[in-house]
Amino acid sequence: MDYQIKELMKQGLSRNEIFEQLKKQSGNQMRLANKIATFEHGSPSMQTVLLNRILLTLCLLQACFGIWVIYSNVVPMDEEFGWQAIVATFILTIFYFVGLFRKSFTGYASFILLCITVAAGYVYFFNHFPVVSIVGVLLAVAGGALSYTNKVRLFPHMGFMDVRKCKSGTYIFE
């Protein structure tokens, strides 16, 4: 299916025309719409590449900061849980980093959701660790905003988590 989309893009067909042509072959129209909307037919601009590199750095910085917070605050209270949290953070960071590095739609969307969750966690613990919470919220908000910016630049036909639809229920590709 990816090969067919690539060939039809090379022929100069619009995303709507490709969808209409391939929807009879596809068993799942939503999945087809996702593939067409997230298909990159050109290379991203230098500015987007630079923003993605900054985002990758922020991802690693946020993970290191989170691991430091867990090590300094959680491990002394509950050692086993603290080390499990550090390992989970490390593994999730690898997955998020790979998704962001590949510039995949799901990587950006997942990282945005992670940043929202992390920011909420830091806000919750603001009374106990105010300075750490402020820095954590700033890192999470910066990462989420940058991830959203890149996602919108690379995949303008996608909504927050799925292909955009108009009121009549048809997919919006252009």
Side-chain angles (χ1 to χ4, degrees):
M1 187 67 68
D2 290 340
Y3 179 74
Q4 288 176 316
I5 295 171
K6 185 176 183 178
E7 288 301 314
L8 292 171
M9 285 270 189
K10 282 183 181 178
Q11 292 175 11
L13 295 176
S14 72
R15 293 176 193 266
N16 282 329
E17 293 169 335
I18 294 171
F19 180 75
E20 291 300 322
Q21 193 170 2
L22 295 178
K23 77 178 181 181
K24 294 172 188 83
Q25 298 174 8
S26 174
N28 187 344
Q29 289 186 2
M30 181 177 275
R31 185 170 177 183
L32 174 64
N34 276 333
K35 281 187 180 224
I36 292 172
T38 58
F39 188 81
E40 270 188 74
H41 56 84
S43 61
S45 69
M46 273 309 277
Q47 187 177 16
T48 305
V49 171
L50 178 65
L51 288 176
N52 200 55
R53 288 181 183 161
I54 293 170
L55 180 61
L56 290 170
T57 305
L58 262 176
C59 175
L60 293 177
L61 186 63
Q62 185 173 341
C64 291
F65 183 74
I67 289 172
W68 173 77
V69 168
I70 293 169
Y71 181 75
S72 61
N73 296 314
V74 178
V75 171
M77 292 187 288
D78 186 356
E79 190 169 344
E80 183 179 346
F81 178 73
W83 285 110
Q84 289 173 353
I86 289 173
V87 169
T89 302
F90 181 75
I91 292 170
L92 285 174
T93 300
I94 291 171
F95 287 129
Y96 288 121
F97 189 83
V98 169
L100 295 174
F101 184 76
R102 291 182 58 223
K103 296 183 191 98
S104 71
F105 174 77
T106 1
Y108 289 118
S110 299
F111 191 70
I112 291 169
L113 293 175
L114 171 77
C115 288
I116 292 169
T117 305
V118 167
Y122 282 122
V123 167
Y124 180 75
F125 288 110
F126 181 76
N127 289 337
H128 303 291
F129 313 107
V131 174
V132 169
S133 293
I134 291 171
V135 172
V137 166
L138 290 176
L139 282 173
V141 168
L146 203 53
S147 183
Y148 183 76
T149 301
N150 275 357
K151 182 180 79 68
V152 168
R153 285 174 183 233
L154 291 172
F155 308 107
H157 311 296
M158 297 294 283
F160 187 70
M161 296 298 288
D162 207 359
V163 181
R164 292 185 294 146
K165 288 185 178 183
C166 66
K167 290 182 181 179
S168 65
T170 58
Y171 297 109
I172 301 172
F173 291 115
E174 304 299 331

